[in-house]
Each structure stands twice: as C-alpha cells, then as structure tokens.
Amino acid sequence: MDFSELIRVRQSVRKYDGRAVEREKLEKLIEAVRLAPSASNSQPWKLILVDDPELKEKVARATFDSVVSFNKFAPQAPVLAVLVEEAPMLITQIGGRIKKRDYPLIDIGIAAGHFCLRAAELGLGTCMLGWFSEKTIKRLLNIPRQKRIGLVITLGYPAEGYPLRGKSRKTAGAMSSHNGY
Ligand SMILES: Cc1cc2nc3c(=O)[nH]c(=O)nc-3n(C[C@H](O)[C@H](O)[C@H](O)COP(=O)(O)O)c2cc1C
C-alpha cells in the first residue's frame, strides 16, 4: 500500500470479528515496533502481546468500568498490545531532566504509530487506548510496580462491513503555519 493511502485508511477500529491474528502478522508488528526511532536510540519500551483468551479478557476489562464505558468494545479484540515504558539511556534521562521533556513517552507514541500503521497495512484494525486501570493490568501481566504502561492497543480483524470513516480533523490552516507560530 502506498504510504499516503495507508495514512488515509488507518483508523481506530472499535468492532472486531473475533478471528485470531496469525503469528506471522504478530511477528511483523513486533518488527515494526522494534524498528521505531527513539531519543538517543534508547528504545524505551517493552511490547507485551496478550492473546491468551482468559488473560486477554481480564486485561480488556481493565480498560473500562461502569462509569467510563467507552472502551467496552475492547474484549472483542483477539489481541491486546501493551506498551510498557522502560528506562531510557542515562544520557536521555539527564537530557529529559534538563530540558523537562518526557522523551520515553514521545518514543512510545511513535512506536505505537508504527504498530498501528503496519497493522493497517496487514489488513488489521487497531485502537490505541489511553484509558485503563494501570494497576490492574500491571498485576495481571506481572509488570514491575515501578514501571509505567504507556498505551494499550486493541488488535484484530475489523468486523465485516466496518466502515472507513472520513477523517475529522482541523484544517491545515488551523494546525500548521510557515516560518513562525
Ligand atoms: C494517546 C491516545 C489515547 C487514546 N485513547 C483512546 C481510548 O481510551 N479509547 C478509544 O476508544 N480511543 C482512544 N484513542 C483513539 C482516538 O480517539 C482516535 O485516534 C482519534 O479520535 C482519531 O480517530 P482515528 O484514530 O479513527 O483517526 C486514543 C488515541 C490516542 C493517540
């Protein structure tokens, strides 16, 4: 797929058909994250793919509750990808402190972008989830207490007939300028 087409068709998918994702495709997604750029090439992430049905169900249920229910679709996805933030290289830690920048979180966002675009290229749907019970997911996946989870991403084949929505975005004029703010 041509890259501009890939950007156009990548969208958040919130309905899945339950088909399992082939192991070769999971390997390709791991590779897409592995090759992502990061500050000082720290690669401050660990990607956990959760596809054991029982465990995956429990993790999915930690992304919504009775009050905040917009992620209720998550259990439909056959795979959940969890991006755990790892410590960056010392130089990045020092640089981040001096410049007051959260480089690892920026890096995780880029890695997640790689994951979702590659998934779209493979005919798979994704949705990044920033709302979840970090404590519960850490306990379920044995993630050390001091670590942070950057993002959870749902992954699977979109439900049949899932529509390609138009993009709802700011205009280029509203979000960009040339040679100054
Ligand atoms: C950091 C981040 C967190 C997000 N969290 C959620 C979420 O918790 N639940 C959800 O349904 N979508 C979530 N989204 C998806 C956005 O709502 C979606 O990307 C945005 O509306 C644009 O739509 P599109 O992805 O279909 O182009 C998140 C996206 C990002 C980048």
Side-chain angles (χ1 to χ4, degrees), residues 10-12 14 70-71 73 127-131 151 165 167 169:
R10 201 275 332 140
Q11 63 176 356
S12 294
R14 299 186 177 90
F70 49 77
N71 288 336
F73 69 92
C127 186
M128 294 183 218
L129 308 181
W131 183 276
L151 273 173
R165 300 183 298 272
K167 299 278 179 213
R169 297 291 192 264

Side-chain angles (χ1 to χ4, degrees), residues 21-30 118 122:
V21 177
E22 300 85 339
R23 183 131 309 259
E24 313 83 74
K25 291 199 175 179
L26 294 179
E27 300 296 334
K28 286 177 176 157
L29 291 167
I30 293 170
R118 184 68 167 119
L122 296 168

Side-chain angles (χ1 to χ4, degrees), residues 42-46 84-88 104 108 143-144 147-148:
S42 274
Q43 306 159 62
W45 51 66
K46 169 104 190 254
V84 180
E85 191 177 317
E86 296 293 324
I108 292 230
I143 298 168
K147 304 229 183 253
R148 299 292 320 263

Side-chain angles (χ1 to χ4, degrees), residues 32-131:
V33 169
R34 196 178 74 82
L35 297 184
S38 55
S40 312
N41 201 20
S42 274
Q43 306 159 62
W45 51 66
K46 169 104 190 254
L47 173 65
I48 306 177
L49 295 173
V50 187
D51 57 2
D52 172 81
E54 246 175 66
L55 182 61
K56 194 266 309 169
E57 179 74 18
K58 286 182 188 156
V59 174
R61 289 193 171 276
T63 67
F64 62 91
D65 54 49
S66 52
V67 182
V68 182
S69 61
F70 49 77
N71 288 336
K72 238 179 165 166
F73 69 92
Q76 284 178 29
V79 184
L80 293 174
V82 178
L83 273 165
V84 180
E85 191 177 317
E86 296 293 324
M89 281 172 30
L90 189 60
I91 182 80
T92 314
Q93 287 180 36
I94 295 167
R97 240 170 263 152
I98 293 170
K99 291 295 176 191
K100 296 189 171 55
R101 300 218 160 255
D102 192 342
Y103 294 116
L105 204 55
I106 296 171
D107 297 337
I108 292 230
I110 295 169
H114 272 218
F115 185 97
C116 294
L117 285 167
R118 184 68 167 119
E121 191 180 39
L122 296 168
L124 292 160
T126 55
C127 186
M128 294 183 218
L129 308 181
W131 183 276

